[in-house]
Amino acid sequence: MAWTRDEMAARAAKELEDGFYVNLGIGIPTLVANHVPESITVTLQSENGMLGIGPFPYAGEEDADLINAGKQTISELPQSAYFDSAQSFAMIRGGHIDLTVLGAMEISQKGDIANWMIPGKMIKGMGGAMDLVAGVRKVIVVMEHLSKAGDPKFVPECTLPLTGRNVVNMIITDMAVFERSDRASLFRLTELAPGITAEDIANATTAAYLQ
């Protein structure tokens, strides 16, 4: 029994530390905002110009002017701040964001990430992904282990256009968690989702990894 999207986000939230400034990507990563432990203070940053993002609002309490980078309605906090794109990317490129949680279409065994386009499909642009993987101190990817076609997404080499090379520190899929202590080593399988075996991971993964 694999983790649900919400459970994957909750697992990613366990990596948050008190005082962290965190950027959440589009898709599953936005759910992390709902799982920030009450025992710590974390400031969420959105590259579209908001620092201090609260959880998703309850139905009927949405404000159409308050959105994250994925155009989802969010809530503000008493300490929320707003700024332009130049200031937002100065935070990211300047190394002021401790952690980013992103989605991906492919991750290579060397930590390369492809998460912004599939050739031939209409796209709106890369957004802040390239800046985030280059400027943020720790990159966590949250994604399904297999594509909709059933193909592995943790692979020896990415076949899709890259967002960044050797930048991913941790991978959380619906089946397992992979981590590496530094960017010169392979990822290590460190955790399995309930009901998932090491053999299941081996059958669903083409990348080399440690156990």
Side-chain angles (χ1 to χ4, degrees), residues 41-104:
T41 299
V42 170
T43 303
L44 301 179
Q45 190 256 14
S46 181
E47 64 263 31
N48 63 316
M50 187 175 180
L51 188 67
I53 298 172
F56 290 122
Y58 291 109
E61 297 181 1
E62 303 93 339
D63 182 338
D65 291 326
L66 293 178
I67 59 173
N68 60 23
K71 308 300 185 291
Q72 297 167 303
T73 53
I74 53 177
S75 62
E76 66 178 354
L77 303 171
Q79 67 270 27
S80 295
Y82 303 90
F83 36 83
D84 63 20
S85 182
Q87 288 177 303
S88 177
F89 281 90
M91 296 176 190
I92 294 169
R93 295 168 183 166
H96 303 291
I97 306 300
D98 298 288
L99 172 70
T100 185
V101 184
L102 300 172

Side-chain angles (χ1 to χ4, degrees), residues 74-138:
I74 53 177
S75 62
E76 66 178 354
L77 303 171
Q79 67 270 27
S80 295
Y82 303 90
F83 36 83
D84 63 20
S85 182
Q87 288 177 303
S88 177
F89 281 90
M91 296 176 190
I92 294 169
R93 295 168 183 166
H96 303 291
I97 306 300
D98 298 288
L99 172 70
T100 185
V101 184
L102 300 172
M105 292 173 281
E106 287 181 334
I107 300 293
S108 81
Q109 64 192 37
K110 296 181 292 186
D112 303 336
I113 177 173
N115 79 337
W116 73 284
M117 75 169 293
I118 297 176
K121 292 195 175 183
M122 185 177 294
I123 60 168
K124 296 180 180 178
M126 183 174 285
M130 182 178 285
D131 298 272
L132 286 164
V133 298
V136 174
R137 298 174 189 175
K138 183 175 181 179

Side-chain angles (χ1 to χ4, degrees), residues 16-34:
L16 305 178
E17 297 182 24
D18 190 47
F20 265 21
Y21 287 84
V22 178
N23 180 284
L24 301 179
I26 297 170
I28 299 173
T30 61
L31 300 174
V32 174
N34 294 330

Side-chain angles (χ1 to χ4, degrees), residues 110 166 168-169 179-187:
K110 296 181 292 186
N166 193 22
V168 178
N169 303 98
E179 303 178 63
R180 57 179 182 164
S181 55
D182 60 72
R183 292 180 177 177
S185 61
L186 288 174
F187 287 91

